[in-house]
Amino acid sequence: MYPQALYPRHRSRRLRATYGARALVRETHVTPSDFILPVFVKAGGGLDEPIPSMPGVSRRTLPSLIDHAHEVYALGVPAIAVFPKIDDAHKTLGGEEAWSDDGLVPDVVRALKAALPGLLVITDVALDPYSSLGQDGVVIDDKIHNDKTIDALVRQACCQARAGADFVAPSDMMDGRVGRIREALDAAGHVDTAILAYSAKYASCFYGPFRDALDSAPRGGTDKKTYQMDPANGDEALHEVGQDLAEGADMIMVKPGLPYLDILWRVKQEFKRPTAVYHVSGEYAMIKAAAAHGWLDERSVVLETMTSFKRAGADAILTYYAVEAARWLKAG
Ligand code: PBG
């Protein structure tokens, strides 16, 4: 027999013993209203095109996207982020198609807002889908020219706001773009268009499947390390976030997700501002692949992952799992 004094005084297991006790003391809750669904859309008719490295995700035609958006909205997911697959014929070195008022993205935004005015539409501000080199910016002499890129991004953001985007989301990582975009939106009367800034966006190899989806892998110029952040740096993320907030970002983002939970935590602790995290394509693909082999239980892994994002400080989670996770959450 142990002497009485050596028995544990605090038995944490009491509050783990029953479903009810666990529910009462749970600190973190995930709901469908935490999610933003990234979607891929292509011009023209025909069939949706499945993306092999992202099982369950397709490049959708506009009618298929509208159908899907109804389902997304009905599940309580408040927002979608639109990414266009642009035909090669429209790709140029300067990415001019990015600010064509009758381009694919403005068409999609108008159609979504007409069909579902309450669903938030977030548009991506970056040139990569439109760039013949797959770069987020304007390439001059094999270099991404920061300030000329900003001129282009300002045009692109204003074009998206004209079409009715609720949030514009610069994902390009040029210096100073948030302030210039805010100024231009305000000058054009788009004072209510919000900015979701990809502030701490890393030069990550977890974006591979996304680049398959848009056929946007870098083809020349440089890789993306001259503008996206070095995965080895943490303090720099705080600097980037601070800059974007000072320039007028309404929300900021950390990307990718799980490998950068420490960054998410630090950003939220430091700034206490609305913070999004992007559970990127490679993270999605890893879970899908393991689940397909029967090596992981998909539902549990996804919901645990979403919980970890919320626990680390995320207010919003961009995830290709938004619809499935919302369904799982509803089913309880
Ligand atoms: C590019 C962009 C990328 C993603 C979102 N916007 C890829 C990149 O920077 O090369 C990646 C998202 C994902 O992997 O799911 N502007």
Side-chain angles (χ1 to χ4, degrees):
M1 273 275 287
Y2 272 111
Q4 189 69 25
L6 291 186
Y7 280 102
R9 182 168 298 265
H10 296 288
R11 291 185 185 266
S12 303
R13 293 183 55 199
R14 286 189 199 109
L15 296 183
R16 293 180 203 138
T18 57
Y19 173 83
R22 290 193 297 274
L24 276 180
V25 302
R26 185 163 299 133
E27 297 173 32
T28 306
H29 299 272
V30 179
T31 75
S33 64
D34 296 321
F35 299 140
I36 297 169
L37 176 70
V39 293
F40 301 113
V41 62
K42 60 170 192 162
L47 298 175
D48 292 348
E49 292 163 7
I51 299 154
S53 52
M54 300 182 73
V57 178
S58 296
R59 299 174 191 134
R60 291 176 182 271
T61 62
L62 180 52
S64 152
L65 177 61
I66 300 286
D67 281 353
H68 192 49
H70 276 98
E71 184 184 15
V72 171
Y73 192 58
L75 281 164
V77 173
I80 65 175
V82 176
F83 295 96
K85 160 74 170 73
I86 302 298
D87 293 335
D88 278 349
H90 290 304
K91 297 189 184 186
T92 54
L93 270 181
E96 285 81 2
E97 177 67 10
W99 55 92
S100 157
D101 280 311
D102 44 30
L104 178 57
V105 166
D107 275 352
V108 168
V109 173
R110 284 185 291 260
L112 281 167
K113 292 310 292 183
L116 287 159
L119 180 69
L120 293 177
V121 177
I122 302 174
T123 49
D124 195 60
V125 182
L127 299 183
D128 49 311
Y130 309 92
S131 154
S132 39
L133 295 177
Q135 293 291 349
D136 289 29
V138 176
V139 182
I140 297 174
D141 294 337
D142 276 355
K143 290 201 172 98
I144 314 298
H145 195 294
N146 193 87
D147 299 5
K148 286 199 178 9
T149 299
I150 293 184
D151 293 341
L153 300 174
V154 161
R155 291 201 178 103
Q156 182 182 23
C158 287
C159 165
Q160 295 168 347
R162 270 196 300 281
D166 297 285
F167 286 63
V168 294
S171 69
D172 55 285
M173 290 300 280
M174 296 302 122
D175 292 319
R177 87 278 204 221
V178 171
R180 286 278 316 281
I181 290 172
R182 182 70 274 158
E183 219 170 70
L185 289 174
D186 290 351
H190 301 298
V191 293
D192 293 327
T193 308
I195 298 178
L196 165 59
Y198 287 66
S199 302
K201 175 170 177 177
Y202 286 86
S204 167
C205 48
F206 286 92
Y207 306 148
F210 174 99
R211 295 175 186 170
D212 294 343
L214 296 191
D215 189 21
S216 65
R219 289 167 207 173
T222 60
D223 56 31
K224 298 195 176 186
K225 290 180 183 156
T226 68
Y227 45 108
Q228 299 178 350
M229 286 180 54
D230 183 342
N233 296 353
D235 294 345
E236 189 186 346
L238 301 182
H239 177 70
E240 288 280 2
V241 168
Q243 296 266 43
D244 286 357
L245 287 170
E247 290 178 28
D250 299 282
M251 288 185 78
I252 34 99
M253 195 196 299
V254 173
K255 176 183 175 188
L258 274 195
Y260 296 84
L261 272 193
D262 57 326
I263 307 298
L264 176 59
W265 171 260
R266 289 177 68 183
V267 164
K268 187 62 179 183
Q269 292 298 309
E270 176 82 14
F271 296 99
K272 307 215 165 25
R273 299 290 298 155
T275 303
V277 66
Y278 202 141
H279 182 232
V280 300
S281 57
E283 299 177 78
Y284 174 88
M286 289 196 301
I287 300 177
K288 280 287 174 192
H293 280 88
W295 294 339
L296 285 174
D297 177 59
E298 186 176 23
R299 177 186 181 282
S300 315
V301 168
V302 170
L303 295 181
E304 183 177 331
T305 303
M306 299 303 136
T307 303
S308 74
F309 290 141
K310 289 287 306 274
R311 195 190 61 236
D315 299 290
I317 304 165
L318 289 98
T319 178
Y320 302 96
Y321 269 113
V323 165
E324 279 165 283
R327 280 205 205 101
W328 289 326
L329 290 167
K330 296 241 156 170

